[in-house]
Amino acid sequence: MDAATGDGARPLVEAAQVSYVTSDEFTTVVDHLWLLICAFLVFLMQAGFAMLEVGTVRQKNAKNLMIKNIMDLAAGAFVWWAFGFAFAYGGGDYSGGPSNGFIGAQGFFFIKGYDACDDASEFCLYPIKPKYDSFAGWLFQWAFAATATTIVSGAVAERCSFLGYVIYAVFITGFIYPVVVHWIWSEYGWLSAFRNPDAPGVWIASGVVDFAGSGVVHLVGGTISLVAAYILGPRIGRFDATGKVVPIMPHNSAFVGLGTLLLWFGWFGFNSGSTLALSGGFILAAEKVAVGTTLAASGGGLAGICMCFVKDGYLDLPALCNGILGGLVGVCSAVAVAEPWACWVIGFFAGCVEFWFAIGVQKLKIDDPLDASAVHMGCGFFGLICGGLFGTRLNTDATYSADQPCGAFFPGCGGQQLGVNILGGVMIMVWCSGMAFLVFGGMRLAGILRISSKQEHEGLDVSYHGSAAYDDTMDGSGSAKYRNKVQRAMIAEEVEPPTE
Amino acid sequence: MDAATGDGARPLVEAAQVSYVTSDEFTTVVDHLWLLICAFLVFLMQAGFAMLEVGTVRQKNAKNLMIKNIMDLAAGAFVWWAFGFAFAYGGGDYSGGPSNGFIGAQGFFFIKGYDACDDASEFCLYPIKPKYDSFAGWLFQWAFAATATTIVSGAVAERCSFLGYVIYAVFITGFIYPVVVHWIWSEYGWLSAFRNPDAPGVWIASGVVDFAGSGVVHLVGGTISLVAAYILGPRIGRFDATGKVVPIMPHNSAFVGLGTLLLWFGWFGFNSGSTLALSGGFILAAEKVAVGTTLAASGGGLAGICMCFVKDGYLDLPALCNGILGGLVGVCSAVAVAEPWACWVIGFFAGCVEFWFAIGVQKLKIDDPLDASAVHMGCGFFGLICGGLFGTRLNTDATYSADQPCGAFFPGCGGQQLGVNILGGVMIMVWCSGMAFLVFGGMRLAGILRISSKQEHEGLDVSYHGSAAYDDTMDGSGSAKYRNKVQRAMIAEEVEPPTE
Amino acid sequence: MDAATGDGARPLVEAAQVSYVTSDEFTTVVDHLWLLICAFLVFLMQAGFAMLEVGTVRQKNAKNLMIKNIMDLAAGAFVWWAFGFAFAYGGGDYSGGPSNGFIGAQGFFFIKGYDACDDASEFCLYPIKPKYDSFAGWLFQWAFAATATTIVSGAVAERCSFLGYVIYAVFITGFIYPVVVHWIWSEYGWLSAFRNPDAPGVWIASGVVDFAGSGVVHLVGGTISLVAAYILGPRIGRFDATGKVVPIMPHNSAFVGLGTLLLWFGWFGFNSGSTLALSGGFILAAEKVAVGTTLAASGGGLAGICMCFVKDGYLDLPALCNGILGGLVGVCSAVAVAEPWACWVIGFFAGCVEFWFAIGVQKLKIDDPLDASAVHMGCGFFGLICGGLFGTRLNTDATYSADQPCGAFFPGCGGQQLGVNILGGVMIMVWCSGMAFLVFGGMRLAGILRISSKQEHEGLDVSYHGSAAYDDTMDGSGSAKYRNKVQRAMIAEEVEPPTE
């Protein structure tokens, strides 16, 4: 029982029993708690992506998409533990150690780095440092890495081999994505706004404003998506003889909607959690970010469904959902430094960008089943631009340092931030498309990237995963029946599996 | 930096290094964090409603319900930002400003009100005030507004036009609901238990006890639901020639159950979060509320499934789910001031109210596909009554002021609180039914409320939203096939789309 | 209001305005908040179990599984409130009261126990004590109890009567499970590591290390599952004439995957929340636990899918999901005291245990539709063993007392902890299998345990719950049509409902 601090009437010994909370304990508890909660929310985005992707593809590939999304977490956790986190945030000691602006190199498998484990003992293998290097921070960043990787599974859906999937997923989670994180979010990165002033070398004075990852997460995933979809080639039957798009309908709209709602829910953790703290005024930033996130989703969703109505004459669910996701992607970069009205505007135009980017990709005869490139590349790059345009005072709410430049739309700010953000976006696209050409091109040359046309007709579930995703028999004899049904359907409709 | 107090023994320099957390920072962080977390949970209720409603309707309208539920968030966020929040909580300055007990009038689009932005600058457009006016508070209240609006989409399911939906949703989120919030939850409202003593005019001495919104949220949504369902008229085929109800089965029970579980999950935020704080002892209120919520759901669920068994001879899922939801609705009002056993009792009887209210609505030949009026109007009003009956000490856990009267069931409390709560309920029903008659009646007269009988037979998905919700083809050619299937079904079964 | 201490420089009046947070308030708020949040997450595991189980069974029993899972919460809350919590944590007063190491006996229906309600009043019926006895603690433990009970619904799926379900669920939630909790987690239990030194009697010096319940929750649920599945007998058609397993396919793989992701999500609360606190350094334990949980799921998932590929030649979803769940179950015991690498290793081998345990159960001709015994009994017991092997320093992060022995794999630790943990596991299995034989055996003798073979052929949804789970008709006339379809299918395929 802690006694209250006494007015003069009480004896001193009682007053001495009162204990107060140190700023240290408070900060540790609330900041790490915040990271934990937000990590859980971002984790749940994986369920959102899973339902969105499963619902959007044909039912013959539903199980495949579900397996891929769960594997992104299971395999991704191993890879992020082994390599990814070390490449992303494993710093240097500035005294001859492996510090550099391109890639981190310490902390593989939580093995202690240069300055970790002050209270070293035989069992202390991992560092506990503030923010990034806490276990909560690792978890939060792992969920982000899984997001970047999962994006691509939408673009290569319904035709990528499982081996191909495993290889590219390991590369993205373990190497391509962490390098970009190191550039922009670590304190050593050459494009980082949080760059440690003691880091060696002369770099860009102020870093990229990419608060929650329009560029670091979404542009990475989206760029790889576009290249992967291009190299893989379209699904059989996606374009007709004259090159016109043949619609392939989502097989379960309820899943699409549920997935979108789960993604929006998780995005509250994705964006608000990117404050990485609540103490020191960051709670005010976090809640402003949550509101900006909401308004951006609102703007994007309204843009998406309106444009669908104008162009197609009806109100479709994927347009609404992709508009919302586009708005959420677009606002990630600027959300901590932009006014609420600006977040709605960013979301609205991101929704437009998404809609037309997707049509542009189709015109290029690239088949991206989930429009992953439109949502994540189009809106990701657009978001980086907005980060350079709408930042009112970039040090708002203690998110960035006071000498970070502000957005080009505001008087006296100049174009510096816009320039840096565009440079960041271009560098991400160069890095990711280059790596994606190597990884996917290499697998294509090796003949391990794409399934056979027969397998594609049957669907990945039957050909790779033992049985169909659904079974409506009374006795649960699904698998065999479904195979027959597939074959029967082919015979009945006289569909000949075309040769490629 | 807050200096620490050293005891005499320690050297001064060491004492100076310790810093303690001020109550101010602590309160801001934990209270706003609580609102944020609970806002996220209430947000997820929208996914719960979506799955519940999608699962309950026929599959030909599944996509329509999903779109409506997502639009309630996307469009609702815009409306709540533009008007709703200002009407609900935008107060007055008591010196000639627009303060009144009926409706708020400040803070549209986060534009600063009378006393906002003490540290005014050119970019400061929004107020940051405690609780209600923080961004976290806005988010929490927005999620509530979306709930009130979404309730109605169940009642008008399967036959309301999309234009009609958009119009009524804007009215509810932007006007009908905020006015009731202002009455009962703002510090200016004429029925508010939190009424600022400096507010002008003579009103009711003690306000309505409606902690989490049996009345403010559910009775509003439920009353509008009943009127809307009445004005819209029943679905084709809902009643046979003799006026007997023809069962229309839920198309996906798994969705119904998942939706209910997501709703219960979100309800922890809805009820516990209504403490609006954790500091100052509110944590104890919040956790007691979480337990009361659980016990009410338990009571309601058991009542629902038992009554279904007694009446129909089997144990059905919708009865269980609606019983749970009825219990949750019923306990909202009293949960902070009632003992745990009272919460279970309230839930149990609310489950009974729900069951028989739904049957009563059917007897009146009103078709409410989701029983939204039974769950939200019946149990909402019942909940307000319970708020006047079961409040043990209304100032329990600092939720209400000490001079708030207590529940009529307890000796020495008198019937004042019961009377005020009934008055509040009646006023809500008068206001909401009046507005609903205007909005829905007007749209019916204008001929824009209901879809054609041909569209109703085809389903909204095909007629409004481009394609069916589901597709089980191998090639994803859903839409065209489904249309054919619809037509083929009509031909095969010789169903003639009846003229109205 | 806590007065601040001013340093000499400040004027007294200013110093008096600053107030600091007492450790008491801080601890109460953050610890209870943590329990609340984690209780919500564990609650959502019920949705995960529901989707996993619904998706895995045949569609004719989908609604039945959903009802059972929701009933586990609704009925379970009543039972836990009435009996369960009192049996688990209702302690004694050590002065002749009903304290003993086997079972608790105070706090039924929140009625106050020996030392509760210091500020007693006529309405004060419940105790508010730290951790276990707070309302947040009750909620957290209730969600655990629901988990233990729900596990069994998978093992008895598709053939257990509803009456049988209700009876066994009440026994597990209200008696079998609470007794084990009392043994191992209460401060009075004869196997408890948190045993109050003032408790009477001479017992085992150091208790079982079972941090989050590999034994207390999962081994309980899993052992009962195995016995129940054995007594119930296999589903019709599960084994062919020669005794070989006939595959029964999951009817909805998307539900299986979604359920697994929801379970993993909820498991963050299950494991991390088992610190029961954040203050006093427990935040560091909580986040390390979250990371260990993740790595164990990763190891288990990879083990599961690899073994499926090696054995069956394809990559199936249930193998991946059950591997993940096995890893999560296996790590529960040791996760707070094991290094991250150990968690991955534990998860990996738990995934292997799950895979082969399931095959072993099949070889014994026991039909466990969800492999509940493999996941929860196999990996639960394995987890207890790991708790005795991998604990580096069992007092790590303040989770256990400093004189708790450590894991047998580490030099100087000895085998004491391993021995105690194995003893604990054996005692759990003895207790649970004994009780399960009584409960299930009794019901079988009474003839109320299993549905008739005709009902089994039709499915529980049609025979018990009024109608089928799904309806794809245009007019929602599901039930009748589905019955016809069932009958038609039987006629067309000339399936005669076999007599038992």
Side-chain angles (χ1 to χ4, degrees):
Chain A
M1 286 292 114
D2 308 306
T5 35
D7 42 0
R10 283 192 194 160
L12 278 176
V13 64
E14 223 188 299
Q17 288 169 333
V18 182
S19 74
Y20 295 105
V21 181
T22 62
S23 293
D24 249 19
E25 173 158 26
F26 176 74
T27 300
T28 304
V29 169
V30 299
D31 290 358
H32 289 214
L33 170 62
W34 182 234
L35 276 175
L36 270 188
I37 292 171
C38 291
F40 301 162
L41 291 176
V42 180
F43 172 91
L44 200 62
M45 288 176 69
Q46 211 69 14
F49 277 115
M51 297 314 285
L52 179 70
E53 296 181 10
V54 166
T56 300
V57 300
R58 289 164 292 186
Q59 69 163 29
K60 64 182 174 183
N61 299 309
K63 191 155 71 168
N64 173 261
L65 265 289
M66 184 54 83
I67 292 174
K68 279 183 186 169
N69 274 276
I70 296 179
M71 282 291 286
D72 282 339
L73 292 168
F78 183 87
V79 173
W80 189 247
W81 171 47
F83 308 102
F85 187 72
F87 287 153
Y89 289 106
D93 63 358
Y94 309 138
S95 60
S99 158
N100 65 71
F102 176 73
I103 191 166
Q106 287 179 329
F108 302 96
F109 289 104
F110 291 135
I111 295 166
K112 68 178 170 183
Y114 66 100
D115 63 352
C117 295
D118 292 336
D119 58 343
S121 80
E122 57 183 319
F123 298 114
C124 177
L125 297 170
Y126 42 86
I128 298 282
K129 290 194 296 178
K131 290 185 186 172
Y132 304 125
D133 285 357
S134 70
F135 281 124
W138 182 89
L139 200 76
F140 187 68
Q141 303 295 342
W142 159 66
F144 269 60
T147 300
T149 305
T150 283
I151 290 165
V152 180
S153 66
V156 302
E158 309 204 88
R159 61 208 191 280
C160 182
S161 75
F162 201 80
L163 179 61
Y165 154 76
V166 169
I167 291 172
Y168 87 69
V170 169
F171 265 91
I172 296 174
T173 310
F175 185 62
I176 307 177
Y177 168 74
V179 164
V180 177
V181 172
H182 191 81
W183 293 358
I184 294 177
W185 282 348
S186 84
E187 50 178 309
Y188 316 103
W190 70 282
L191 286 164
S192 173
F194 314 104
R195 190 170 169 74
N196 188 321
D198 296 337
V202 178
W203 306 99
I204 293 155
S206 67
V208 172
V209 166
D210 190 15
F211 178 69
S214 288
V216 175
V217 178
H218 297 286
L219 186 52
V220 166
T223 303
I224 299 172
S225 289
L226 187 67
V227 173
Y230 170 71
I231 292 178
L232 256 177
R235 290 168 290 178
I236 297 170
R238 178 55 169 160
F239 299 101
D240 67 13
T242 68
K244 254 183 65 185
V245 174
V246 178
I248 295 181
M249 308 308 299
H251 94 274
N252 193 317
S253 295
F255 290 172
V256 172
L258 176 62
T260 303
L261 290 171
L262 289 176
L263 280 167
W264 189 343
F265 178 68
W267 228 291
F268 285 122
F270 194 90
N271 282 5
S272 298
S274 290
T275 60
L276 305 179
L278 289 182
S279 63
F282 278 105
I283 175 69
L284 300 178
E287 62 191 291
K288 204 181 87 169
V289 165
V291 169
T293 301
T294 301
L295 293 177
S298 166
L302 295 177
I305 201 162
C306 287
M307 244 157 333
C308 174
F309 187 71
V310 168
K311 180 169 170 294
D312 298 329
Y314 54 82
L315 304 148
D316 212 350
L317 182 66
L320 174 63
C321 293
N322 280 342
I324 287 170
L325 299 179
L328 289 166
V329 168
V331 89
C332 283
S333 168
V335 67
V337 291
E339 293 292 319
W341 65 263
C343 292
W344 194 89
V345 169
I346 291 169
F348 184 86
F349 285 104
C352 300
V353 166
E354 190 283 324
F355 192 82
W356 294 106
F357 196 105
I359 290 172
V361 169
Q362 286 181 358
K363 295 271 179 228
L364 292 172
K365 306 257 176 312
I366 296 173
D367 180 20
D368 181 349
L370 266 286
D371 290 334
S373 53
V375 171
H376 300 278
M377 185 185 185
C379 300
F381 191 73
F382 177 75
L384 278 180
I385 293 174
C386 292
L389 292 175
F390 287 98
T392 54
R393 293 174 299 177
L394 289 179
N395 58 332
T396 297
D397 303 324
T399 309
Y400 289 92
S401 68
D403 55 347
Q404 189 80 9
C406 49
F409 274 173
F410 296 99
C413 288
Q416 188 187 342
Q417 191 60 59
L418 179 61
V420 172
N421 267 26
I422 290 177
L423 172 67
V426 170
M427 290 312 301
I428 289 171
M429 289 191 287
V430 168
W431 165 253
C432 292
S433 57
M435 293 304 299
F437 268 105
L438 280 179
V439 172
F440 285 92
M443 291 199 288
R444 182 172 171 171
L445 286 177
I448 58 173
L449 183 59
R450 184 160 177 157
I451 58 175
S452 74
S453 64
K454 182 170 169 300
Q455 289 170 323
E456 195 174 336
H457 275 281
E458 281 184 357
L460 282 151
D461 292 354
V462 165
S463 53
Y464 266 74
H465 305 297
S467 61
Y470 305 105
D471 171 33
D472 62 356
T473 63
M474 290 298 284
D475 59 356
S477 59
S479 178
K481 276 209 178 170
Y482 196 81
R483 285 184 202 254
N484 292 341
K485 198 165 136 195
V486 173
Q487 292 159 355
R488 264 185 277 123
M490 285 185 177
I491 294 160
E493 295 173 36
E494 298 179 334
V495 176
E496 218 16 64
T499 50
E500 220 164 47
Chain B
M1 287 289 114
D2 309 305
T5 38
D7 48 358
R10 280 194 200 156
L12 278 176
V13 64
E14 219 188 302
Q17 288 168 334
V18 183
S19 74
Y20 295 104
V21 181
T22 63
S23 293
D24 248 20
E25 172 157 26
F26 176 73
T27 300
T28 305
V29 168
V30 298
D31 291 358
H32 289 215
L33 170 62
W34 183 234
L35 277 175
L36 270 188
I37 292 171
C38 292
F40 301 163
L41 291 176
V42 181
F43 172 91
L44 201 63
M45 288 175 67
Q46 210 70 15
F49 277 115
M51 296 316 284
L52 179 69
E53 297 182 10
V54 165
T56 301
V57 300
R58 290 165 291 187
Q59 68 164 26
K60 64 183 175 182
N61 299 309
K63 190 154 72 169
N64 174 262
L65 265 291
M66 184 53 84
I67 292 174
K68 278 183 185 168
N69 274 276
I70 297 179
M71 281 292 285
D72 282 339
L73 292 168
F78 184 87
V79 173
W80 188 246
W81 171 47
F83 308 101
F85 187 72
F87 287 153
Y89 288 107
D93 61 358
Y94 308 138
S95 60
S99 160
N100 65 72
F102 177 73
I103 191 167
Q106 287 178 329
F108 303 95
F109 289 105
F110 291 135
I111 294 167
K112 66 177 171 182
Y114 66 101
D115 64 351
C117 295
D118 292 336
D119 59 341
S121 80
E122 58 182 317
F123 298 113
C124 177
L125 298 170
Y126 43 83
I128 299 283
K129 290 193 295 177
K131 289 188 187 169
Y132 302 126
D133 286 357
S134 71
F135 280 123
W138 182 89
L139 200 76
F140 187 67
Q141 303 294 343
W142 159 66
F144 269 59
T147 300
T149 305
T150 282
I151 290 165
V152 182
S153 66
V156 302
E158 307 205 270
R159 60 209 192 279
C160 181
S161 75
F162 201 81
L163 179 61
Y165 154 73
V166 170
I167 291 172
Y168 88 68
V170 168
F171 265 91
I172 297 174
T173 311
F175 184 64
I176 306 176
Y177 168 74
V179 164
V180 178
V181 171
H182 191 81
W183 293 358
I184 295 176
W185 282 348
S186 84
E187 51 178 308
Y188 315 103
W190 70 280
L191 286 165
S192 174
F194 313 106
R195 190 169 169 74
N196 187 323
D198 297 336
V202 176
W203 306 99
I204 294 156
S206 68
V208 173
V209 165
D210 190 16
F211 177 70
S214 287
V216 176
V217 177
H218 297 286
L219 186 53
V220 166
T223 303
I224 300 173
S225 289
L226 187 66
V227 174
Y230 170 71
I231 293 179
L232 255 177
R235 289 168 290 177
I236 296 170
R238 178 56 169 159
F239 299 102
D240 67 14
T242 68
K244 253 183 65 185
V245 173
V246 178
I248 296 182
M249 309 307 298
H251 94 274
N252 193 317
S253 296
F255 290 171
V256 172
L258 176 63
T260 303
L261 290 171
L262 289 176
L263 279 167
W264 189 343
F265 178 67
W267 228 292
F268 285 122
F270 194 91
N271 282 7
S272 299
S274 289
T275 60
L276 305 179
L278 290 182
S279 63
F282 278 104
I283 175 70
L284 299 179
E287 62 191 291
K288 203 181 85 168
V289 165
V291 169
T293 301
T294 300
L295 292 177
S298 166
L302 295 177
I305 201 161
C306 287
M307 243 154 335
C308 174
F309 187 71
V310 169
K311 181 172 170 290
D312 298 330
Y314 53 82
L315 304 147
D316 212 351
L317 182 66
L320 174 63
C321 293
N322 279 343
I324 288 171
L325 299 179
L328 289 166
V329 168
V331 89
C332 283
S333 169
V335 68
V337 290
E339 293 293 319
W341 64 264
C343 293
W344 193 89
V345 171
I346 292 170
F348 184 85
F349 285 104
C352 300
V353 167
E354 191 283 323
F355 192 82
W356 294 106
F357 196 106
I359 290 171
V361 168
Q362 286 181 1
K363 296 270 179 228
L364 294 172
K365 307 259 176 310
I366 296 174
D367 179 20
D368 181 349
L370 267 285
D371 290 332
S373 52
V375 171
H376 300 279
M377 186 186 184
C379 300
F381 191 72
F382 177 75
L384 278 179
I385 293 173
C386 293
L389 293 175
F390 287 98
T392 54
R393 293 174 298 178
L394 288 179
N395 58 332
T396 296
D397 303 324
T399 308
Y400 289 92
S401 69
D403 55 349
Q404 189 78 11
C406 50
F409 274 173
F410 296 99
C413 287
Q416 186 186 344
Q417 190 60 58
L418 180 61
V420 172
N421 267 25
I422 290 177
L423 172 68
V426 170
M427 290 311 301
I428 289 172
M429 287 191 288
V430 168
W431 164 253
C432 290
S433 56
M435 293 303 300
F437 269 104
L438 280 179
V439 172
F440 285 91
M443 289 198 291
R444 182 173 171 170
L445 286 177
I448 57 173
L449 183 59
R450 184 159 177 158
I451 59 174
S452 73
S453 63
K454 183 171 170 297
Q455 289 171 325
E456 196 175 335
H457 275 283
E458 281 185 356
L460 282 150
D461 292 354
V462 165
S463 54
Y464 265 74
H465 304 296
S467 61
Y470 305 105
D471 172 33
D472 62 356
T473 64
M474 292 296 285
D475 59 355
S477 59
S479 178
K481 276 209 178 169
Y482 197 81
R483 283 183 203 256
N484 291 340
K485 197 166 136 193
V486 174
Q487 292 158 356
R488 265 185 276 124
M490 287 185 175
I491 293 161
E493 297 173 35
E494 297 179 335
V495 176
E496 216 20 62
T499 50
E500 219 165 40
Chain C
M1 286 290 112
D2 309 305
T5 38
D7 50 356
R10 283 193 198 155
L12 277 176
V13 63
E14 217 188 301
Q17 289 169 332
V18 182
S19 73
Y20 295 104
V21 182
T22 62
S23 293
D24 236 24
E25 172 156 26
F26 176 74
T27 300
T28 305
V29 169
V30 299
D31 289 358
H32 289 215
L33 170 62
W34 183 233
L35 276 176
L36 271 187
I37 292 171
C38 291
F40 301 163
L41 291 177
V42 180
F43 172 90
L44 201 62
M45 288 175 67
Q46 211 69 15
F49 277 114
M51 297 315 285
L52 179 70
E53 297 181 11
V54 166
T56 300
V57 301
R58 290 164 291 186
Q59 69 163 26
K60 63 183 175 183
N61 300 308
K63 191 155 71 170
N64 174 262
L65 265 291
M66 184 54 82
I67 291 174
K68 278 184 186 167
N69 275 276
I70 296 179
M71 281 293 285
D72 283 339
L73 292 168
F78 183 87
V79 173
W80 189 247
W81 171 47
F83 309 102
F85 187 72
F87 287 153
Y89 288 106
D93 63 358
Y94 309 136
S95 59
S99 160
N100 65 72
F102 177 72
I103 191 167
Q106 287 178 328
F108 302 95
F109 289 105
F110 291 135
I111 294 167
K112 66 178 171 183
Y114 67 100
D115 65 349
C117 294
D118 293 334
D119 57 343
S121 81
E122 59 181 316
F123 298 114
C124 178
L125 298 170
Y126 42 85
I128 297 284
K129 290 193 296 177
K131 288 187 188 168
Y132 302 125
D133 286 357
S134 70
F135 281 124
W138 181 89
L139 199 76
F140 187 68
Q141 303 295 343
W142 159 65
F144 269 60
T147 299
T149 306
T150 282
I151 289 165
V152 181
S153 68
V156 303
E158 309 204 89
R159 61 206 190 281
C160 181
S161 75
F162 200 81
L163 179 61
Y165 153 75
V166 170
I167 291 172
Y168 87 70
V170 169
F171 266 90
I172 298 175
T173 310
F175 186 63
I176 307 177
Y177 168 75
V179 164
V180 177
V181 171
H182 191 80
W183 294 357
I184 295 178
W185 282 348
S186 85
E187 49 178 310
Y188 316 102
W190 70 281
L191 286 165
S192 174
F194 313 105
R195 189 168 170 76
N196 188 322
D198 295 336
V202 177
W203 304 99
I204 293 156
S206 67
V208 173
V209 165
D210 190 15
F211 177 69
S214 288
V216 176
V217 177
H218 297 285
L219 186 52
V220 167
T223 303
I224 300 173
S225 289
L226 188 66
V227 174
Y230 170 71
I231 292 179
L232 255 177
R235 289 168 290 177
I236 297 170
R238 179 54 168 160
F239 298 102
D240 67 15
T242 68
K244 251 183 67 185
V245 174
V246 178
I248 296 182
M249 309 309 297
H251 94 273
N252 193 318
S253 297
F255 290 171
V256 172
L258 176 63
T260 304
L261 290 171
L262 289 176
L263 280 167
W264 189 343
F265 178 68
W267 227 293
F268 285 123
F270 194 92
N271 282 6
S272 300
S274 290
T275 59
L276 304 179
L278 290 182
S279 63
F282 278 104
I283 176 69
L284 299 179
E287 63 192 289
K288 203 181 87 169
V289 165
V291 169
T293 302
T294 300
L295 292 177
S298 166
L302 295 177
I305 201 162
C306 287
M307 243 154 337
C308 173
F309 187 73
V310 169
K311 179 169 170 292
D312 299 327
Y314 55 82
L315 303 148
D316 212 350
L317 183 66
L320 174 63
C321 293
N322 280 343
I324 287 171
L325 299 179
L328 290 165
V329 168
V331 89
C332 283
S333 170
V335 66
V337 291
E339 293 292 319
W341 65 263
C343 293
W344 194 90
V345 170
I346 292 170
F348 184 86
F349 285 104
C352 300
V353 167
E354 189 284 322
F355 193 83
W356 294 107
F357 196 106
I359 290 172
V361 169
Q362 287 181 0
K363 296 270 179 229
L364 294 171
K365 307 258 177 308
I366 296 174
D367 180 20
D368 181 350
L370 267 285
D371 289 333
S373 52
V375 171
H376 300 279
M377 185 185 186
C379 301
F381 191 73
F382 178 75
L384 279 179
I385 293 174
C386 293
L389 291 175
F390 287 98
T392 53
R393 291 174 299 177
L394 288 178
N395 58 333
T396 295
D397 303 324
T399 309
Y400 289 91
S401 68
D403 55 350
Q404 188 80 10
C406 48
F409 274 173
F410 296 99
C413 289
Q416 188 187 343
Q417 191 60 59
L418 179 62
V420 172
N421 267 26
I422 289 177
L423 173 67
V426 170
M427 291 310 301
I428 289 172
M429 287 191 290
V430 168
W431 165 252
C432 291
S433 57
M435 293 303 300
F437 268 104
L438 280 178
V439 173
F440 285 92
M443 291 198 289
R444 183 173 170 169
L445 287 177
I448 58 173
L449 183 59
R450 183 159 178 157
I451 58 176
S452 73
S453 64
K454 183 171 167 300
Q455 288 171 325
E456 194 174 335
H457 274 283
E458 280 185 358
L460 283 151
D461 292 354
V462 165
S463 54
Y464 265 73
H465 304 297
S467 61
Y470 304 105
D471 172 33
D472 63 354
T473 64
M474 292 297 284
D475 58 357
S477 60
S479 178
K481 276 209 177 168
Y482 196 80
R483 284 184 203 256
N484 292 341
K485 199 165 135 193
V486 173
Q487 293 158 355
R488 264 184 277 125
M490 286 185 177
I491 294 161
E493 296 173 35
E494 297 179 333
V495 176
E496 215 22 60
T499 51
E500 219 164 44

